[in-house]
PDB file of all heavy atoms in Angstrom:
ATOM      1  N   ILE E  84      -1.487 -10.340  22.628  1.00 82.00           N
ATOM      2  CA  ILE E  84      -1.488 -11.594  23.371  1.00 82.00           C
ATOM      3  C   ILE E  84      -2.711 -12.444  23.015  1.00 82.00           C
ATOM      4  O   ILE E  84      -3.809 -11.902  22.842  1.00 82.00           O
ATOM      5  CB  ILE E  84      -1.436 -11.338  24.868  1.00 82.00           C
ATOM      6  CG1 ILE E  84      -2.605 -10.424  25.344  1.00 82.00           C
ATOM      7  CG2 ILE E  84      -0.124 -10.800  25.343  1.00 82.00           C
ATOM      8  CD1 ILE E  84      -2.748 -10.300  26.808  1.00 82.00           C
ATOM      9  N   PRO E  85      -2.562 -13.770  22.854  1.00 85.00           N
ATOM     10  CA  PRO E  85      -1.286 -14.562  22.986  1.00 85.00           C
ATOM     11  C   PRO E  85      -0.778 -14.955  21.574  1.00 85.00           C
ATOM     12  O   PRO E  85      -0.087 -15.988  21.425  1.00 85.00           O
ATOM     13  CB  PRO E  85      -1.799 -15.823  23.685  1.00 85.00           C
ATOM     14  CG  PRO E  85      -3.178 -16.029  23.102  1.00 85.00           C
ATOM     15  CD  PRO E  85      -3.758 -14.669  22.827  1.00 85.00           C
ATOM     16  N   HIS E  86      -1.079 -14.167  20.529  1.00 90.00           N
ATOM     17  CA  HIS E  86      -0.889 -14.592  19.176  1.00 90.00           C
ATOM     18  C   HIS E  86       0.508 -14.382  18.595  1.00 90.00           C
ATOM     19  O   HIS E  86       0.816 -14.828  17.488  1.00 90.00           O
ATOM     20  CB  HIS E  86      -1.925 -13.928  18.278  1.00 90.00           C
ATOM     21  CG  HIS E  86      -3.338 -14.283  18.600  1.00 90.00           C
ATOM     22  ND1 HIS E  86      -3.711 -15.456  19.236  1.00 90.00           N
ATOM     23  CD2 HIS E  86      -4.492 -13.610  18.398  1.00 90.00           C
ATOM     24  CE1 HIS E  86      -5.005 -15.469  19.394  1.00 90.00           C
ATOM     25  NE2 HIS E  86      -5.517 -14.336  18.894  1.00 90.00           N
ATOM     26  N   LYS E  87       1.338 -13.606  19.289  1.00 88.00           N
ATOM     27  CA  LYS E  87       2.597 -13.162  18.737  1.00 88.00           C
ATOM     28  C   LYS E  87       3.510 -14.313  18.341  1.00 88.00           C
ATOM     29  O   LYS E  87       4.321 -14.188  17.437  1.00 88.00           O
ATOM     30  CB  LYS E  87       3.288 -12.190  19.608  1.00 88.00           C
ATOM     31  CG  LYS E  87       2.498 -10.894  19.855  1.00 88.00           C
ATOM     32  CD  LYS E  87       3.184 -10.001  20.842  1.00 88.00           C
ATOM     33  CE  LYS E  87       2.324  -8.738  21.117  1.00 88.00           C
ATOM     34  NZ  LYS E  87       2.992  -7.841  22.071  1.00 88.00           N
ATOM     35  N   SER E  88       3.424 -15.393  19.052  1.00 89.00           N
ATOM     36  CA  SER E  88       4.315 -16.525  18.824  1.00 89.00           C
ATOM     37  C   SER E  88       3.619 -17.634  17.994  1.00 89.00           C
ATOM     38  O   SER E  88       4.221 -18.660  17.692  1.00 89.00           O
ATOM     39  CB  SER E  88       4.846 -17.120  20.096  1.00 89.00           C
ATOM     40  OG  SER E  88       3.762 -17.559  20.940  1.00 89.00           O
ATOM     41  N   LEU E  89       2.329 -17.432  17.662  1.00 92.00           N
ATOM     42  CA  LEU E  89       1.556 -18.570  17.065  1.00 92.00           C
ATOM     43  C   LEU E  89       1.523 -18.571  15.562  1.00 92.00           C
ATOM     44  O   LEU E  89       0.994 -19.524  14.995  1.00 92.00           O
ATOM     45  CB  LEU E  89       0.082 -18.451  17.587  1.00 92.00           C
ATOM     46  CG  LEU E  89      -0.079 -18.525  19.097  1.00 92.00           C
ATOM     47  CD1 LEU E  89      -1.567 -18.542  19.439  1.00 92.00           C
ATOM     48  CD2 LEU E  89       0.590 -19.760  19.705  1.00 92.00           C
ATOM     49  N   LEU E  90       2.139 -17.595  14.959  1.00 94.00           N
ATOM     50  CA  LEU E  90       2.142 -17.554  13.472  1.00 94.00           C
ATOM     51  C   LEU E  90       3.477 -17.808  12.836  1.00 94.00           C
ATOM     52  O   LEU E  90       3.609 -17.751  11.594  1.00 94.00           O
ATOM     53  CB  LEU E  90       1.600 -16.154  12.973  1.00 94.00           C
ATOM     54  CG  LEU E  90       0.201 -15.759  13.446  1.00 94.00           C
ATOM     55  CD1 LEU E  90      -0.180 -14.467  12.812  1.00 94.00           C
ATOM     56  CD2 LEU E  90      -0.836 -16.863  13.141  1.00 94.00           C
ATOM     57  N   MET E  91       4.484 -18.121  13.653  1.00 94.00           N
ATOM     58  CA  MET E  91       5.824 -18.219  13.172  1.00 94.00           C
ATOM     59  C   MET E  91       5.985 -19.249  12.071  1.00 94.00           C
ATOM     60  O   MET E  91       6.667 -19.017  11.048  1.00 94.00           O
ATOM     61  CB  MET E  91       6.800 -18.544  14.286  1.00 94.00           C
ATOM     62  CG  MET E  91       6.921 -17.451  15.360  1.00 94.00           C
ATOM     63  SD  MET E  91       7.430 -15.833  14.674  1.00 94.00           S
ATOM     64  CE  MET E  91       9.112 -16.196  14.207  1.00 94.00           C
ATOM     65  N   ASP E  92       5.329 -20.384  12.193  1.00 93.00           N
ATOM     66  CA  ASP E  92       5.483 -21.453  11.171  1.00 93.00           C
ATOM     67  C   ASP E  92       4.688 -21.196   9.926  1.00 93.00           C
ATOM     68  O   ASP E  92       4.803 -21.946   8.921  1.00 93.00           O
ATOM     69  CB  ASP E  92       5.156 -22.831  11.759  1.00 93.00           C
ATOM     70  CG  ASP E  92       3.736 -22.914  12.220  1.00 93.00           C
ATOM     71  OD1 ASP E  92       3.009 -21.905  12.216  1.00 93.00           O
ATOM     72  OD2 ASP E  92       3.301 -24.059  12.647  1.00 93.00           O
ATOM     73  N   MET E  93       3.881 -20.114   9.883  1.00 95.00           N
ATOM     74  CA  MET E  93       3.126 -19.731   8.698  1.00 95.00           C
ATOM     75  C   MET E  93       3.889 -18.777   7.823  1.00 95.00           C
ATOM     76  O   MET E  93       3.559 -18.613   6.644  1.00 95.00           O
ATOM     77  CB  MET E  93       1.795 -19.037   9.098  1.00 95.00           C
ATOM     78  CG  MET E  93       0.821 -19.947   9.798  1.00 95.00           C
ATOM     79  SD  MET E  93      -0.719 -19.047  10.124  1.00 95.00           S
ATOM     80  CE  MET E  93      -1.324 -18.708   8.482  1.00 95.00           C
ATOM     81  N   LEU E  94       4.929 -18.106   8.371  1.00 97.00           N
ATOM     82  CA  LEU E  94       5.572 -17.006   7.717  1.00 97.00           C
ATOM     83  C   LEU E  94       6.531 -17.503   6.593  1.00 97.00           C
ATOM     84  O   LEU E  94       7.280 -18.473   6.781  1.00 97.00           O
ATOM     85  CB  LEU E  94       6.327 -16.126   8.667  1.00 97.00           C
ATOM     86  CG  LEU E  94       5.502 -15.483   9.796  1.00 97.00           C
ATOM     87  CD1 LEU E  94       6.433 -14.729  10.698  1.00 97.00           C
ATOM     88  CD2 LEU E  94       4.461 -14.551   9.204  1.00 97.00           C
ATOM     89  N   ASP E  95       6.485 -16.819   5.488  1.00 96.00           N
ATOM     90  CA  ASP E  95       7.463 -17.085   4.412  1.00 96.00           C
ATOM     91  C   ASP E  95       8.724 -16.270   4.587  1.00 96.00           C
ATOM     92  O   ASP E  95       9.786 -16.632   4.094  1.00 96.00           O
ATOM     93  CB  ASP E  95       6.854 -16.748   3.037  1.00 96.00           C
ATOM     94  CG  ASP E  95       5.600 -17.614   2.744  1.00 96.00           C
ATOM     95  OD1 ASP E  95       5.797 -18.829   2.627  1.00 96.00           O
ATOM     96  OD2 ASP E  95       4.472 -17.030   2.702  1.00 96.00           O
ATOM     97  N   GLU E  96       8.591 -15.131   5.296  1.00 97.00           N
ATOM     98  CA  GLU E  96       9.723 -14.247   5.553  1.00 97.00           C
ATOM     99  C   GLU E  96       9.508 -13.604   6.919  1.00 97.00           C
ATOM    100  O   GLU E  96       8.409 -13.273   7.281  1.00 97.00           O
ATOM    101  CB  GLU E  96       9.825 -13.174   4.464  1.00 97.00           C
ATOM    102  CG  GLU E  96      10.955 -12.217   4.609  1.00 97.00           C
ATOM    103  CD  GLU E  96      10.981 -11.167   3.523  1.00 97.00           C
ATOM    104  OE1 GLU E  96      10.467 -11.407   2.413  1.00 97.00           O
ATOM    105  OE2 GLU E  96      11.498 -10.044   3.835  1.00 97.00           O
ATOM    106  N   CYS E  97      10.616 -13.485   7.653  1.00 96.00           N
ATOM    107  CA  CYS E  97      10.523 -12.889   8.969  1.00 96.00           C
ATOM    108  C   CYS E  97      11.843 -12.162   9.285  1.00 96.00           C
ATOM    109  O   CYS E  97      12.915 -12.552   8.845  1.00 96.00           O
ATOM    110  CB  CYS E  97      10.321 -13.963  10.034  1.00 96.00           C
ATOM    111  SG  CYS E  97      10.106 -13.377  11.740  1.00 96.00           S
ATOM    112  N   SER E  98      11.710 -11.042   9.992  1.00 94.00           N
ATOM    113  CA  SER E  98      12.934 -10.253  10.400  1.00 94.00           C
ATOM    114  C   SER E  98      13.813 -11.093  11.286  1.00 94.00           C
ATOM    115  O   SER E  98      13.352 -12.039  11.973  1.00 94.00           O
ATOM    116  CB  SER E  98      12.487  -9.009  11.086  1.00 94.00           C
ATOM    117  OG  SER E  98      11.922  -9.279  12.328  1.00 94.00           O
ATOM    118  N   ASP E  99      15.113 -10.720  11.363  1.00 90.00           N
ATOM    119  CA  ASP E  99      16.037 -11.382  12.240  1.00 90.00           C
ATOM    120  C   ASP E  99      15.592 -11.273  13.659  1.00 90.00           C
ATOM    121  O   ASP E  99      15.721 -12.269  14.464  1.00 90.00           O
ATOM    122  CB  ASP E  99      17.441 -10.810  12.111  1.00 90.00           C
ATOM    123  CG  ASP E  99      18.072 -11.123  10.753  1.00 90.00           C
ATOM    124  OD1 ASP E  99      17.622 -12.099  10.055  1.00 90.00           O
ATOM    125  OD2 ASP E  99      19.034 -10.415  10.371  1.00 90.00           O
TER     126      ASP E  99
END
Side-chain angles (χ1 to χ4, degrees):
I84 55 172
H86 298 335
K87 295 177 184 182
S88 61
L89 301 183
L90 302 184
M91 296 301 292
D92 61 355
M93 294 182 65
L94 300 176
D95 299 295
E96 180 182 332
C97 183
S98 66
D99 290 341

